[in-house]
């Protein structure tokens, strides 16, 4: 009985720890994507030639260091919108976007694009319109799912091992009393 109660307590701690870790990891991944998008927007506003280049890898452009972006990460695309919300792609291979309307520049949001999956976007004012930077976060979502699946699969084995260990310790502690 003591082993079962202790295992239940450990299970509660495991679940709370896993949920907390997943939330921190998700926030970190979102912050990284937002940072890449903000840097891309800063470069595009300062160097019009940079608007037509997708960003991957370690780059400096217009005197701005874009940071060490993983070579396997998705490219950062740029679009421009006019005051009416019409979107024009400026990066090679940029997917088509629907009309974009945002209450203010600097606004970051996530959206699912048809046939492309989840994207993270950030907007910045550019004259009468806005520049929109976007990057697929499908890889981040895949990583989060793999982590969750691993936690779900490992959890029962961990709890079974803990129960067995606690049961053995309890039985050995009772041996001198018997």
């Amino acid at each position: 009985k003591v082993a079962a109660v202790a295992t239940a307590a450990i299970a509660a701690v495991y679940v709370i720890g896993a949920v907390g870790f997943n939330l921190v990891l998700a926030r970190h991944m979102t912050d990284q994507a937002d940072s890449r998008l903000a840097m891309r927007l800063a470069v595009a506003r300062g160097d019009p030639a940079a608007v037509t280049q997708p960003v991957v890898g370690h780059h400096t452009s217009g005197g701005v260091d874009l940071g060490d972006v993983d070579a396997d990460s998705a490219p950062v695309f740029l679009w421009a919108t006019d005051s009416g919300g019409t979107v024009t792609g400026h990066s090679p291979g940029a997917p088509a976007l629907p009309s974009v309307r945002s209450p203010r520049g600097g606004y970051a949001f996530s959206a699912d694009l048809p046939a492309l999956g989840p994207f993270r976007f950030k907007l910045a004012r550019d004259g009468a319109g806005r520049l929109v930077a976007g990057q697929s976060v499908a890889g981040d979502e895949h990583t989060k799912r793999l982590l969750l699946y691993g936690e779900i699969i490992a959890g029962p084995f961990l709890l079974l091992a803990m129960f067995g260990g606690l049961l053995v310790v309890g039985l050995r502690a009772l041996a001198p009393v018997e």
Side-chain angles (χ1 to χ4, degrees), residues 1-16 154-170:
K1 183 176 176 178
V2 173
V5 171
T7 302
I10 290 169
V13 170
Y14 177 79
V15 168
I16 291 169
F157 292 108
L158 174 69
L159 293 176
L160 185 61
M162 291 301 292
F163 178 78
L166 291 169
L167 187 62
V168 168
V169 167

Side-chain angles (χ1 to χ4, degrees), residues 94-141:
L97 291 181
S99 176
V100 175
R101 294 183 192 270
S102 167
R104 65 190 196 288
Y107 182 66
F109 61 96
S110 296
D112 279 334
L113 297 182
L116 294 175
F119 262 70
R120 184 77 179 162
F121 296 99
K122 191 163 182 77
L123 297 116
R125 288 199 179 280
D126 186 45
R130 289 188 169 81
L131 280 176
V132 180
Q135 180 179 29
S136 173
V137 290
D140 290 351
E141 296 300 321

Side-chain angles (χ1 to χ4, degrees), residues 2-174:
V2 173
V5 171
T7 302
I10 290 169
V13 170
Y14 177 79
V15 168
I16 291 169
V19 168
F21 178 76
N22 290 349
L23 290 174
V24 168
L25 178 69
R27 183 75 233 154
H28 176 71
M29 289 176 149
T30 300
D31 288 345
Q32 279 187 320
D34 288 349
S35 177
R36 282 190 299 271
L37 296 175
M39 283 188 244
R40 180 73 164 124
L41 287 170
V43 168
R45 291 172 75 190
D47 180 12
V51 171
T52 60
Q53 302 168 4
V55 173
V56 293
H58 185 84
H59 290 281
T60 57
S61 180
V64 177
D65 184 4
L66 296 178
D68 188 16
V69 179
D70 187 1
D72 292 334
S73 68
V76 177
F77 298 110
L78 276 177
W79 299 267
T81 66
D82 60 17
S83 57
T86 304
V87 179
T88 306
H90 285 293
S91 298
L97 291 181
S99 176
V100 175
R101 294 183 192 270
S102 167
R104 65 190 196 288
Y107 182 66
F109 61 96
S110 296
D112 279 334
L113 297 182
L116 294 175
F119 262 70
R120 184 77 179 162
F121 296 99
K122 191 163 182 77
L123 297 116
R125 288 199 179 280
D126 186 45
R130 289 188 169 81
L131 280 176
V132 180
Q135 180 179 29
S136 173
V137 290
D140 290 351
E141 296 300 321
H142 178 70
T143 300
K144 288 187 256 185
R145 273 193 312 278
L146 285 178
L147 178 64
L148 179 63
Y149 296 158
E151 291 166 346
I152 290 171
I153 291 170
F157 292 108
L158 174 69
L159 293 176
L160 185 61
M162 291 301 292
F163 178 78
L166 291 169
L167 187 62
V168 168
V169 167
L171 291 174
R172 287 198 175 216
L174 289 176

